[in-house]
Amino acid sequence: MMDALGKTAKDYMKPVSEGGKGWTQTQAENYLKDVSAQGSALKKFTNRAVCFACHGTSISTTIDSQYLDGSGKLLGRSKILGN
């Protein structure tokens, strides 16, 4: 499982000092699977996150720049496409 930023459960399980959230495996997996109204369905593989990772900048004009690479594309796009 990977979100639209290209992060996996393993990434979220890393300590905060290493860029993670310090979550347990269960917490990370639950976060990635959450498609509830309270969750962010767009950034998860379930409920079209992969589509949003590649096409998000053409769908929305209000994407926070911290989630974009230098070319204006979402950070997870290259991981999902493998380039």
Side-chain angles (χ1 to χ4, degrees), residues 62-82:
T62 57
I63 298 173
D64 190 322
S65 62
Q66 71 177 330
Y67 301 117
L68 303 174
D69 64 15
S71 70
K73 295 185 167 114
L74 283 159
L75 294 170
R77 185 176 191 269
S78 62
K79 288 185 180 180
I80 291 167
L81 295 177

Side-chain angles (χ1 to χ4, degrees), residues 33-56:
K33 292 177 185 176
D34 181 14
V35 294
S36 68
Q38 295 80 29
S40 178
L42 284 176
K43 68 180 183 172
K44 308 206 178 45
F45 261 124
T46 52
N47 205 8
R48 297 189 209 138
V50 176
C51 299
F52 194 77
C54 292
H55 302 281

Side-chain angles (χ1 to χ4, degrees), residues 9-31:
K10 196 173 195 176
D11 294 316
Y12 287 110
M13 292 166 57
K14 290 179 184 176
V16 174
S17 62
E18 294 177 22
K21 299 270 188 185
W23 292 346
T24 65
Q25 183 167 349
T26 300
Q27 287 174 305
E29 288 177 2
N30 286 342
Y31 170 76

